[in-house]
């Protein structure tokens, strides 16, 4: 049976992705900081195994990888993310920058390093990093959001390097923009429902083209410039 590991799976896009993969008959390893509070995630059924994981805690990540030793992993979805309250010019919360970078940029790379062996024994061998169009330098025509934009731009570079460094192991890496989704992070004014975004992202992962390796893709498959 195919297997996916999803971080930040207790709400929003991560939770919706877990549901989509369950419906598709996959085994899901769902990670979140507080499993005891993840009641909706718990209700998804026996094919979901919930793990306690703060992605910024490298020891927790290493212990999780060790506990899943011998488990083939088809897709690693680095979904856990963080966003600062706001970072307009002259009002940048510098004290938040390291936290956002730790979650959005450093953690996905560390998870890739720790789970590369699991991916090698899987069939699809895919690392999917949930990024953002806001991390595209070529698409930035509105400025601002210095902290969030820079963390996602850095994640995009991590993704590109992973696609090159892991190619000889048969592992692909992509960055995905989920759209402006109605989640806690996206806000109530967002236009896209989580289930629509999640299902589109799942289909992209399952139908990845060779030329998409190392790219930043919109949820509808559009290639977004770096």
């Amino acid at each position: 049976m195919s297997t996916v590991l999803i971080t930040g799976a207790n709400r929003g896009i991560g939770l919706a992705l877990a549901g989509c993969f369950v419906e598709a008959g996959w085994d899901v390893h769902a990670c979140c900081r507080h499993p005891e509070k993840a009641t909706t995630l718990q209700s998804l059924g026996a094919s979901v195994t919930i793990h306690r994981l703060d992605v910024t805690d490298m020891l927790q990540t290493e212990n999780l990888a060790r506990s899943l030793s011998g488990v083939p992993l088809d897709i690693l979805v680095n979904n856990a993310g963080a966003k600062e309250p706001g970072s307009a010019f002259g009002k940048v919360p510098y004290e938040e920058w390291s936290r956002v970078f730790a979650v959005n940029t450093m953690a996905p790379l560390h998870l890739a390093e720790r789970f590369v062996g699991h991916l090698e024994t899987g069939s699809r061998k895919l690392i999917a990093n949930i990024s953002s169009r806001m991390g595209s330098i070529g698409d930035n025509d509105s400025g601002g959001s210095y902290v969030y934009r820079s963390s996602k731009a850095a994640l995009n570079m991590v993704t590109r390097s992973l696609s090159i460094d892991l190619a000889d192991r048969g592992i692909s890496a992509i960055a995905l923009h989920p759209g402006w989704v109605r989640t806690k992070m996206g806000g109530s004014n967002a236009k896209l429902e989580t289930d629509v975004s999640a299902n589109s992202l799942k289909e992209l992962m399952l139908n990845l083209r060779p030329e998409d390796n190392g790219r930043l893709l919109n949820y509808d498959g559009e290639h977004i410039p770096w």
Side-chain angles (χ1 to χ4, degrees), residues 46-99:
S47 59
V48 177
T49 303
I50 304 176
H51 305 277
R52 185 182 304 277
L53 179 66
D54 179 339
V55 296
T56 65
D57 187 326
M58 292 190 172
L59 182 58
Q60 274 192 21
T61 298
E62 291 164 7
N63 287 338
L64 176 59
R66 194 176 299 113
S67 73
L68 294 176
S69 178
V71 176
L73 189 61
D74 292 288
I75 303 178
L76 167 63
V77 181
N78 283 309
N79 168 73
K83 189 175 183 180
E84 83 293 345
S87 54
F89 182 75
K91 299 180 180 179
V92 175
Y94 288 96
E95 68 283 356
E96 287 286 293
W97 214 323
S98 60
R99 179 186 68 85

Side-chain angles (χ1 to χ4, degrees), residues 5-25:
L5 186 148
I6 304 170
T7 64
N10 60 310
R11 67 186 185 196
I13 295 168
L15 177 60
L17 278 171
C20 286
F21 278 105
V22 167
E23 290 179 6

Side-chain angles (χ1 to χ4, degrees), residues 146-189:
Y146 290 91
V147 173
Y148 185 72
R149 283 188 187 279
S150 61
S151 72
K152 291 299 187 179
L155 176 61
N156 292 343
M157 182 61 82
V158 165
T159 304
R160 181 65 176 174
S161 288
L162 285 172
S163 73
I164 296 168
D165 294 340
L166 302 182
D168 61 349
R169 304 191 193 194
I171 298 173
S172 300
I174 54 173
L176 296 171
H177 172 55
W180 186 19
V181 185
R182 199 172 295 124
T183 62
K184 183 176 180 180
M185 185 179 292
S188 59
N189 292 326

